[in-house]
Structures are given as C-alpha cells and as structure tokens.
Amino acid sequence: MFKPHFVAALAAALALAGLSVPATAQDAAAPAIQGQDVAPQDNDRSQEQTGRNRRNRNSAPPPPTPEELAQRAQVVATAANVNCQVTQASLLGQTDAGALTYEAACATGPGYILINSTPPQAIDCVLLAGQAQIERARDPAADVGTQCVIPQNTDVLRVVSVYATEAGVTCTVNEGASIGKSREDNLIYEVGCDGLDGAWLERLPTGWKLTECIQVITQNGTCRYSTAAEQAATLKARFASNAEAAACDVTQGRYMGANANGSFFEAKCAAGNGVIVRFNPTFEVQQVYPCETAQRIGGGCTLTVVPPAPEAAAQ
C-alpha cells in the first residue's frame, strides 16, 4: 500500500486576481444654449436629450444574469472535457494571465472551479476540499487558496457517498473526503461508516478498488474515520452467520492477509480466547481456527495470549 499524495500544481492553478472593472467616466458639461431664438419647449427637449445621452455614455453594462453565468461556465466545462451539466455558477475573477474564472455546481457529481485559459482547466471541488483539509491539519494557519463556496459544492459527503455505492460499500457512509492520489495517479477517497469499518476507494481506469481500513492500517496507510471498535463490530457482524465464529464476542480484530483460499482475520474474544477466521471473497465464513491450534496460520494469533500446550510446558 502507499501513502496518497496531492499534486502541488493544483493550488498553483488557482492564483486569482480581481476582475478589472472600467472606472465610471466623469459627467460631461451640458452644452450651452446660445441665443434667445430657441423656443422654451425646444430648450427643454434639448436638455432632456443631452441628459439621456450622458446617462447612456456613463452607464456600465448590466451584470450577467444567473442564467448567463451558467451558460458561460458550461462553455468552459465542455471545453475542459468534464462531465458537468452546470446548474449554478458564479464569477470568481480572473487569473494573472487574464483568464476568467468561475465556480460551477453540476447536476450530478462534484462541482468545479473552471478557468477559461488555453487550454481550459477544471478543478474538482472535492479534491480542493480534501487538499485544504490535509494542509490545515498540518498547519491551521495554512493558506489553502481558492475553495468552492456554493453550498452544493461544499457538501463533499454527497459526492463521496455516491462513489462509495459505486465501489460496493454497503454501510451507511457518514464521513468522506478526497485524500490524494496513488503512485499510479489514481484518485483515492476515504469513507467512514456508521458503527462499522470504513475504507479507501481508489478510482481505477476500469472501476473502483475498495480497501477496508482494517487492511489499510496493515499496509502503511491511515484511516481518519474508522476506529478499532468499528473494525471489531464489522468482524462480529460477519461472524453472525456461522455458529462457531459467532461464539466469539469480538473485541479486537486484525487483517492477516490473503491467499488463493481466501482472506484471513484474527479476532480477540471477550471470553479471553481468540480465533482466526478464513472468509471467501463475499465474506462468508469458510473456516474457524481457535488460536490454540492456529500457530501455523500466518504466524498464529497475536491479539490473544495462547498458553503453551501441556506437553510443551513439561519439557
């Protein structure tokens, strides 16, 4: 397993400058009316027309409507080749190079920061939020750059929960975040579950790879949204369909590895004993090995102290 990382260029692309707005011109002096041969009503009409012309020259163009902003953002999203049907957009400003920048919410999936540069850029709001979360954990005063603020775009859990369902997660997802990329440049997300073990989700070119946190922690990874108690609860739930395994009231669990026969987990039981259980790929119990007789399986039990066999003790 690997520790995910973020690409530093993500934040660098979002150095936004303020929009430049043309200054309002000073009112021009009204032309003088010469002579007394101008009728009063003509004089009035002349002044009215002059005032109207002055107002037209000095009026700034009206700001774009919400519909116009959404249309402009959609053009950038389409050019950037992201699957986003823009439902709402705001104009953020422009980059130092003068490229207009928008935040867009999409009908489904994450929102984006869209930069009308050459080529156009689209930066995922969920990725931005994940990077900001990690940087603030390292330094609460860190400058995390531009972030998405449209309410729909700040609901990271909404997006990550959909990813979890696609990846095969069956628990109730109550936490989630983008946590970086793999060495192969695949996006990785972490999800937490209500009362059960969470997981890492890696987006592969062919689909999703799900790695439960009980396994992640044995491969130099870290899960922020799962606890040892939730991992024990997950094993206990999987033991329930097998009478021998269900006799263990799981208080602690450990992933041991897998081979062609299945995956192996150790469980410490409340009664003071422990077991190693072999599961098939759908986590049906295939075999239960009491710790007292499981020394040959993956190095034996480590969560439970196994007393030596009587004959060994006598030697």
Side-chain angles (χ1 to χ4, degrees), residues 46-296:
S46 178
Q47 290 178 341
E48 180 182 350
Q49 182 64 42
T50 300
R52 188 159 51 243
N53 291 340
R54 184 168 62 245
R55 286 193 297 272
N56 290 339
R57 288 197 304 271
N58 296 336
S59 296
T65 65
E67 293 76 16
E68 289 171 336
L69 282 173
Q71 290 170 1
R72 295 175 188 179
Q74 184 68 68
V75 171
V76 183
T78 302
N81 198 31
V82 291
N83 184 20
C84 173
Q85 179 185 342
V86 178
T87 58
Q88 180 183 352
S90 59
L91 181 61
L92 301 182
Q94 62 185 29
T95 65
D96 291 338
L100 291 178
T101 303
Y102 304 86
E103 179 186 352
C106 307
T108 59
Y112 293 91
I113 301 293
L114 301 170
I115 305 175
N116 193 21
S117 54
T118 303
Q121 300 176 67
I123 301 154
D124 186 322
C125 290
V126 173
L127 299 187
L128 282 174
Q131 182 176 20
Q133 191 176 40
I134 291 172
E135 290 180 357
R136 285 172 177 148
R138 295 172 182 154
D139 177 8
D143 179 2
V144 296
T146 299
Q147 295 292 309
C148 299
V149 298
I150 294 175
Q152 179 179 323
N153 290 346
T154 62
D155 187 2
V156 172
L157 184 59
R158 172 187 63 85
V159 178
V160 177
S161 294
V162 173
Y163 295 162
T165 299
E166 293 173 353
V169 174
T170 58
C171 69
T172 300
V173 176
N174 58 10
E175 293 181 281
S178 165
I179 58 173
K181 291 187 175 184
S182 69
R183 293 192 186 97
E184 294 75 24
D185 208 36
N186 298 324
L187 291 171
I188 303 177
Y189 303 84
E190 180 186 347
V191 296
C193 295
D194 186 9
L196 296 172
D197 195 19
W200 278 15
L201 315 175
E202 182 181 352
R203 187 190 287 275
L204 304 176
T206 56
W208 290 97
K209 176 184 176 182
L210 187 154
T211 306
E212 295 183 329
C213 285
I214 195 171
Q215 181 177 347
V216 168
I217 61 178
T218 67
Q219 299 177 346
N220 299 321
T222 301
C223 285
R224 294 175 292 169
Y225 304 140
S226 296
T227 66
E230 289 174 330
Q231 291 163 9
T234 299
L235 282 180
K236 186 174 181 179
R238 289 172 177 167
F239 285 2
S241 62
N242 179 282
E244 186 178 2
C248 174
D249 182 7
V250 183
T251 60
Q252 191 175 354
R254 176 175 73 96
Y255 172 73
M256 299 178 64
N259 59 24
N261 296 319
S263 57
F264 295 80
F265 291 79
E266 178 189 355
K268 183 178 182 180
C269 312
N273 61 328
V275 293
I276 291 175
V277 175
R278 175 169 59 86
F279 291 101
N280 69 8
T282 59
F283 291 105
E284 295 174 333
V285 175
Q286 299 297 292
Q287 187 73 43
V288 179
Y289 309 90
C291 283
E292 292 80 1
T293 60
Q295 291 88 348
R296 293 178 178 270

Side-chain angles (χ1 to χ4, degrees), residues 32-53:
I33 304 290
Q34 299 293 333
Q36 297 297 321
D37 56 338
V38 179
Q41 61 270 28
D42 292 338
N43 187 31
D44 292 341
R45 282 196 295 270
S46 178
Q47 290 178 341
E48 180 182 350
Q49 182 64 42
T50 300
R52 188 159 51 243
N53 291 340

